[in-house]
Amino acid sequence: MICPTRRQSLRAVAITTIVLAAAALTGCSAAGSADGKTFTILQYEDKTTAQGQGWQLALDIFKKKHPDVTVKFQTTSFDGFRKNAKLVLGGNKVPDVVEFNKGNADGGQLASQGLLENLDDAVAKNGWDDKITGSMQSFAKYDSQGKAGSGDWYGIPNVGEYVTFYYNKDEFQRAGITSEPKTMTEFTDALAKLKAAGITPISSSSAVNQGFNQMWIWYSLVSAAADREQIDDFMFLKGKVDFSKDPWKTGTERFQDWIDKGYVGTDLGGLNYEQANVNFLSGKTGMLIWNNGVFARVKDQSSFPWGSFTLPGASTTMGSSGHLWGVPAKAGNKELAYDWINTTLSAKVQDKIGSLGGLPLAGDSSTITDPVTRAYTERFDEVVKDDTLSFYPDYPVPGFLDFIQNNMSAMSNGNETADQYLGKLQSFYDDGKKTVDQG
């Protein structure tokens, strides 16, 4: 996912944005153009986030380095580009570098259909594989069928992501919770105490368009009981996945129990992730589940003391590398695109992102002076080192994000049980796997 990346904070922009962006691309360099005078970047990060601010710095550096180039920095929405990527990248006039979603369902499809440039030579020339290492490479590479985890480089991430629970210390204290929970039992006890005190325990959302929070809660509970092999079988289509068994069964049943007990709020079908963010920031809920995309916002905008922790007692933690920079196969200024990627991976830009809690992949955590931000970053470094990231659930097969969000909404509204969802999940995943296997 989403990603919501997924990473990064996803920006709620009207779907018409992608239409305007596509129209604006008529002013880009035509495919095969070599004039190098107009360079178009298409991305969807909010400029107020750590990543967005880092890219604004990269933009300043890039423009100074290339004073003869007219740079068009265009912003669309995550959903807008995801749903229209093939249209945008398959036209006669395309952007020179794009941000795209990772996973078999999105990046893998674009790579296998020849819409993205193979970056192997650029990676070797620029040493990007020395900066993007270990599990952070997993969704940068795709094979000929579009399966992630191996094959050739088609994208370059700048940051990592991991999902945490941000919490309001005042609300915890009012509910009689005196310390951060360290086990799943302590965490569920905290949920019950918050609810008993009249506080919505977790700020969530399940709108079918950008209502990502419920999906993240569900998959976090599945991840909590999963091991590395189970996650990799599911994510990289390596083996048979039986959704009627654990960790899927236990995680989904616990998720339904939390819904039934009101731990995630009510009337979630009408809420998107931004509304969930606002509800937490305004002090209306005890916790918010999100990744580092909202870290700087919580730090700057919250009017209450807060903290964060990963799901206590979890075997694996939801998270991944961030969204990817890719170069369209028809881009007219590929060398400039490679230089743009280099700029975003430079120490100056990466350390800027790190200072704002953006979890840079090529940054230096020791340069972070704020103790809260540094601790947040070092916790991410730990889960990457331990190889316990479970990625995001919408990556494996085409259409998975929309499918999961629709069913999250149904479960949240009481129109679907855990068993019914797991049955649908099995059918959709197996069908999608066949589609990917067939290329």
Side-chain angles (χ1 to χ4, degrees):
M1 140 125 199
I2 99 208
C3 218
T5 15
R6 301 85 156 145
R7 331 60 35 19
Q8 89 288 64
S9 174
L10 304 179
R11 189 179 184 185
V13 180
I15 199 69
T16 52
T17 303
I18 191 67
V19 179
L20 295 174
L25 293 178
T26 58
C28 302
S29 299
S33 170
D35 61 18
K37 297 301 182 182
T38 300
F39 179 73
T40 302
I41 302 163
L42 184 61
Q43 62 91 47
Y44 45 74
E45 299 300 332
D46 188 322
K47 66 180 181 181
T48 66
T49 65
Q51 194 170 0
Q53 291 183 58
W55 289 358
Q56 288 300 310
L57 174 59
L59 189 60
D60 291 340
I61 295 171
F62 187 84
K63 285 180 176 179
K64 290 177 182 177
K65 186 175 181 181
H66 301 282
D68 60 330
V69 174
T70 299
V71 181
K72 294 184 177 180
F73 190 84
Q74 298 180 339
T75 300
T76 182
S77 70
F78 169 77
D79 272 346
F81 184 74
R82 185 177 65 85
K83 294 176 179 179
N84 293 276
K86 294 177 184 178
L87 174 66
V88 173
L89 300 183
N92 291 324
K93 297 184 178 181
V94 300
D96 293 297
V97 65
V98 296
E99 181 183 17
F100 67 95
N101 191 31
K102 52 204 175 294
N104 303 335
D106 291 299
Q109 293 288 298
L110 300 178
S112 65
Q113 293 174 19
L115 296 172
L116 292 171
E117 185 76 1
N118 183 311
L119 299 178
D120 282 357
D121 290 344
V123 169
K125 180 180 178 179
N126 294 285
W128 292 336
D129 51 346
D130 292 330
K131 296 182 176 182
I132 313 302
T133 60
S135 62
M136 296 296 97
Q137 293 186 1
S138 296
F139 291 98
K141 297 178 178 180
Y142 298 89
D143 65 16
S144 59
Q145 294 176 307
K147 292 182 182 179
S150 64
D152 299 321
W153 289 78
Y154 284 94
I156 304 296
N158 272 233
V159 301
E161 304 174 4
Y162 76 130
V163 169
T164 63
F165 286 88
Y166 297 88
Y167 72 99
N168 184 325
K169 291 184 177 181
D170 285 345
E171 296 294 78
F172 266 47
Q173 185 176 21
R174 187 158 73 87
I177 306 167
T178 57
S179 61
E180 290 183 6
K182 301 299 182 184
T183 66
M184 182 64 78
T185 298
E186 290 179 1
F187 186 71
T188 53
D189 286 346
L191 295 176
K193 289 179 179 179
L194 287 163
K195 186 69 169 59
I199 303 164
T200 299
I202 305 173
S203 187
S204 194
S205 69
S206 67
V208 295
N209 184 27
Q210 301 198 46
F212 305 114
N213 299 77
Q214 285 289 77
M215 175 176 68
W216 288 15
I217 294 172
W218 164 70
Y219 189 61
S220 289
L221 290 174
V222 170
S223 299
D227 59 32
R228 181 79 271 155
E229 182 178 2
Q230 289 170 321
I231 292 298
D232 287 352
D233 282 347
F234 165 70
M235 194 62 53
F236 301 116
L237 311 179
K238 288 185 174 181
K240 171 67 176 177
V241 179
D242 187 343
F243 292 101
S244 68
K245 297 181 179 179
D246 287 340
W248 307 96
K249 183 176 178 60
T250 294
T252 307
E253 289 178 345
R254 177 170 280 162
F255 176 63
Q256 182 174 21
D257 181 58
W258 286 11
I259 293 172
D260 294 343
K261 290 179 177 176
Y263 290 165
V264 295
T266 59
D267 300 322
L268 301 177
L271 299 179
N272 60 32
Y273 80 93
E274 172 59 17
Q275 291 163 313
N277 290 344
V278 170
N279 285 338
F280 174 71
L281 289 169
S282 61
K284 295 179 180 179
T285 64
M287 287 180 281
L288 170 71
I289 185 172
W290 203 250
N291 61 18
N292 44 294
V294 79
F295 177 84
R297 190 172 173 186
V298 173
K299 186 171 179 289
D300 295 340
Q301 297 181 17
S302 59
S303 59
F304 47 80
W306 62 277
S308 68
F309 53 82
T310 52
L311 185 61
S315 300
T316 62
T317 298
M318 190 172 165
S320 175
S321 60
H323 297 301
L324 307 170
W325 282 122
V327 180
K330 292 184 177 181
N333 294 298
K334 291 174 183 175
E335 291 302 322
L336 281 175
Y338 303 149
D339 193 51
W340 166 254
I341 295 172
N342 260 333
T343 304
T344 64
L345 286 173
S346 66
K348 190 172 183 178
V349 172
Q350 289 281 293
D351 288 343
K352 170 71 172 181
I353 293 173
S355 71
L356 298 170
L359 308 181
L361 296 184
D364 182 355
S365 298
S366 68
T367 65
I368 301 173
T369 57
D370 176 66
V372 174
T373 304
R374 184 167 180 173
Y376 187 81
T377 304
E378 289 175 343
R379 175 64 184 129
F380 173 73
D381 293 341
E382 289 175 4
V383 296
V384 172
K385 181 180 179 180
D386 294 341
D387 192 24
T388 55
L389 287 175
S390 62
F391 309 115
Y392 290 86
D394 56 294
Y395 292 166
V397 298
F400 221 9
L401 179 58
D402 294 331
F403 167 82
I404 294 173
Q405 284 193 103
N406 282 323
N407 284 275
M408 290 290 98
S409 184
M411 283 193 69
S412 301
N413 293 333
N415 295 325
E416 186 171 282
T417 66
D419 286 342
Q420 288 172 330
Y421 170 52
L422 290 173
K424 291 180 179 180
L425 184 63
Q426 188 76 64
S427 296
F428 194 95
Y429 180 85
D430 288 347
D431 289 345
K433 185 177 179 180
K434 292 176 183 177
T435 299
V436 174
D437 287 340
Q438 292 169 359

